[in-house]
Amino acid sequence: MRALRILLIVVVVLGGLFVIADRVAVHFAENEAADKVKTTENLATTPDVSIKGFPFLTQAASGELDDVEIGIKDYEADTGTATSGNGGPKTIRIDDLKADMKGVKFSGDYSSATATTATGTATIAYDELLKAAKSEPTRIFPGIDAQVVGLSDGGNGKIKVDIKVTAMGATQTYPVLSSVSVDGDTVKVHADNLPKLVVDLADSRIRAITDFQQAIHQLPGGVKLDSVQAAKNGVEITVKGSNVRLAG
């Protein structure tokens, strides 16, 4: 019985040491991976990297991690050639990008890592998306100018687009409920119903103001836009990708 107790104590101690070693190793790997992602994506701040699963050491020995989560607070996405009416911003800020990477294969020094699949979520604040709309008053009819002056949550997955119309020196703001969608690498805002202005104007002239879009050509690791929906603080996007490069 004494020998059995000693054996059990040894097993518990060794198990505890293995857990400690495993947690130290995963912490080191997370820091190394975070630094590599920061460099690869040219980020201003270091992202959060969390390696899931236990034990880590056996995953590391195989050269493939089951599940890695990455969080980037602020990401400046390249918009490429602007598609919005006013030229659009060169970059657009993506907030709270969280990505779940599956089947991450990596090199021994963590200089390169590629995920088999990736899914994630992020937010584009309304003030960022507003930059894609016409920022200056546009003549839509003799004596009548219009411009988008605000975006906000319209409820039920809609965006409320505020259109300021100036006619004969008088101004009035018209709220327009709009749908938001993804078409390839572009977020599009489309008015569900056009405002009733002082006079009936041609549909295309009004939509030149109410409808706009913003291309997002570059997201971390090459993930792509999948869907978008209006929410309280901005439009929430989902992303997905395959063979996503995390580093290298």
Side-chain angles (χ1 to χ4, degrees), residues 9-31:
I9 292 172
V10 170
V11 170
V12 170
V13 170
L14 291 178
L17 291 175
F18 176 79
V19 170
I20 293 172
D22 191 81
R23 293 303 89 189
V24 170
V26 75
H27 181 68
F28 172 80
E30 288 171 344
N31 289 338

Side-chain angles (χ1 to χ4, degrees), residues 111-154:
S111 61
S112 65
T114 303
T116 303
T117 61
T119 57
T121 60
T123 300
I124 302 176
Y126 285 121
D127 61 343
E128 280 294 300
L129 189 59
L130 181 61
K131 297 175 182 178
K134 290 182 180 294
S135 59
E136 299 296 329
T138 299
R139 183 60 52 89
I140 58 175
F141 200 76
I144 301 178
D145 296 333
Q147 68 182 116
V148 176
V149 293
L151 303 178
S152 59
D153 181 20

Side-chain angles (χ1 to χ4, degrees), residues 2-248:
R2 183 170 180 272
L4 180 59
R5 285 198 298 270
I6 293 174
L7 178 61
L8 289 174
I9 292 172
V10 170
V11 170
V12 170
V13 170
L14 291 178
L17 291 175
F18 176 79
V19 170
I20 293 172
D22 191 81
R23 293 303 89 189
V24 170
V26 75
H27 181 68
F28 172 80
E30 288 171 344
N31 289 338
E32 287 292 305
D35 288 340
K36 294 296 183 182
V37 172
K38 179 182 179 182
T39 300
T40 299
E41 299 296 340
N42 193 29
L43 302 177
T45 59
T46 304
D48 294 325
V49 175
S50 178
I51 299 174
K52 303 298 182 180
F54 179 84
F56 163 74
L57 290 173
T58 56
Q59 296 183 68
S62 70
E64 181 174 340
L65 303 176
D66 296 333
D67 190 355
V68 178
E69 292 182 358
I70 296 179
I72 302 175
K73 185 176 181 181
D74 299 312
Y75 181 78
E76 293 291 332
D78 183 11
T79 61
T81 303
T83 56
S84 57
N86 67 344
K90 297 297 183 182
T91 62
I92 187 167
R93 190 184 76 249
I94 309 294
D95 296 328
D96 298 323
L97 176 61
K98 295 180 177 65
D100 186 13
M101 312 289 184
K102 302 292 188 183
V104 180
K105 297 180 180 179
F106 61 94
S107 60
D109 60 356
Y110 305 104
S111 61
S112 65
T114 303
T116 303
T117 61
T119 57
T121 60
T123 300
I124 302 176
Y126 285 121
D127 61 343
E128 280 294 300
L129 189 59
L130 181 61
K131 297 175 182 178
K134 290 182 180 294
S135 59
E136 299 296 329
T138 299
R139 183 60 52 89
I140 58 175
F141 200 76
I144 301 178
D145 296 333
Q147 68 182 116
V148 176
V149 293
L151 303 178
S152 59
D153 181 20
N156 297 320
K158 302 293 184 179
I159 295 178
K160 182 167 76 73
V161 181
D162 291 325
I163 310 296
K164 185 175 75 173
V165 177
T166 303
M168 307 303 179
T171 63
Q172 184 172 345
T173 299
Y174 296 84
V176 177
L177 287 180
S178 300
S179 298
V180 60
S181 62
V182 166
D183 183 5
D185 59 5
T186 301
V187 175
K188 293 185 174 182
V189 177
H190 179 80
D192 294 345
N193 295 293
L194 296 175
K196 187 73 172 179
L197 302 182
V198 178
V199 294
D200 291 328
L201 305 177
D203 181 278
S204 61
R205 293 185 182 182
I206 305 176
R207 287 199 178 277
I209 307 299
T210 62
D211 296 3
F212 57 92
Q213 58 190 39
Q214 179 61 66
I216 303 175
H217 291 300
Q218 185 177 336
L219 288 169
V223 295
K224 302 294 184 181
L225 293 174
D226 183 40
S227 66
V228 63
Q229 182 174 345
K232 181 179 179 180
N233 298 317
V235 293
E236 295 180 348
I237 63 174
T238 61
V239 298
K240 66 178 181 180
S242 57
N243 296 320
V244 175
R245 188 185 68 174
L246 306 182

